[in-house]
Amino acid sequence: RQGVVVITGASSGLGLATAKSLAESGKWHVVMACRDFLKAEKAAKAAGMAKGSYTIAHLDLASLDSVRQFVDAFRRSGRPLDVLVCNAAIYRPTARKPTYTADGYEMSVGVNHLGHFLLANLLLDDMKQSDYPSRRLIIVGSITGNTNTLAGNVPPKAGLGDLRGLAGGLDGRSSSAMIDGGEFDGAKAYKDSKICNMLTMQEFHRRFHEETGIAFASLYPGCIATTGLFREHVPLFRLLFPPFQKFITKGFVSEEESGKRLAQVVSDPSLTKSGVYWSWNKDSASFENQLSEEASDAAKAKKVWEISEKLVGLT
Ligand code: NDP
């Protein structure tokens, strides 16, 4: 049978390109989990995705209620779940003040990490029941959360500290809006959320891979300098960033190519290993990359997991 893949944030950028690539292969039915139904429908049509190759379902990761409703609706659809891709993200580099999710958590960590954390935990049960030969749970990471790289050393650097802000509820009142308890910084909040994504993937692997056989993976798809992720950046940055990545760092990757990379992590028979952070070299060949010390800290992953479970109401 066709595989069923759920992709969050499939209304633009990497998520859309991945949805298109998988739908076109004919091997996958793609569930596009998006906060803006109309935008997703228009994007799928504009990308030329064939009717019937995809379904759009409502999911706003800035609300834990919405996450639960998405899971209920997915279960009612009667489809099995074979692969889940946690792709959606927001990046607010120019924000001076934090904004908050419906549940009162700082938006970048709330959407990118906590919303996905709840979603992945709830849908794990559905994946366990699937009879698909290669089930995978993928969380999109980023080089920016990895301080062992050049890009990861551009200030403000990612760092979760002793997690005091996260443990305090990231509400900007009784606790800081930042995981490490520091002053709000929108760019850092994004990077921190990406470390949480990579730690979560590894903790899933440690807790559930042996028991379930599900492969847990993360990836850095390359710098896709043209996506909506940079929509809140200053205009000059948006103008110069793509050529800078193309000609200076040479890390630039097109949306189409990045979509093919993520589609490989979903479906390629050679990318089944669990607990891996995938990257691609300049010839577009995949390899297992190294995470930074903090992004591979098992004790920290466990702590982030336990605090996150409380914040999303799983314990
Ligand atoms: P885009 O901004 O193009 O896509 C992000 C997607 O997330 C959009 O579909 C957006 O929906 C969705 N989204 C945002 N907030 C929510 C929410 N509250 N609920 C549901 N969906 C939401 O960015 P990219 O394609 O670049 O980013 C995709 C992933 O790739 C992210 O995880 C990012 O961290 C990662 N990444 C990107 C890199 C890059 O260079 N661009 C590099 C490394 C990693 P909407 O269309 O409604 O806004």
Side-chain angles (χ1 to χ4, degrees), residues 8-16 33-37 39-40 59-63 66 86-91 101 107 110-112 116 139-144 190 193-194 197 219-231 241 245 253 255 258 262:
T8 68
S11 53
S12 74
L14 175 61
L16 177 63
C34 298
R35 62 175 166 174
D36 184 337
F37 203 90
K39 181 177 174 186
L59 169 66
D60 186 344
L61 290 156
S63 155
S66 172
C86 298
N87 160 77
I90 53 149
Y91 174 47
T101 65
M107 189 65 82
V111 168
N112 306 357
H116 279 134
I139 309 180
V140 178
S142 173
I143 200 172
T144 55
Y190 169 81
S193 76
K194 289 280 126 185
N197 285 153
L219 68 149
Y220 172 62
C223 182
I224 329 157
T226 51
T227 70
L229 197 68
F230 307 100
R231 60 170 86 74
F241 192 51
Q245 291 295 346
V253 61
E255 292 182 30
S258 69
L262 179 46

Side-chain angles (χ1 to χ4, degrees), residues 58 63-74 76 122:
H58 186 259
S63 155
L64 298 175
D65 256 356
S66 172
V67 172
R68 290 186 182 275
Q69 281 166 22
F70 170 83
V71 171
D72 287 346
F74 181 79
R76 280 198 305 275
L122 295 176

Side-chain angles (χ1 to χ4, degrees), residues 153-166:
N153 274 298
V154 176
K157 280 208 256 181
L160 307 187
D162 63 3
L163 304 173
R164 67 179 66 179
L166 188 68

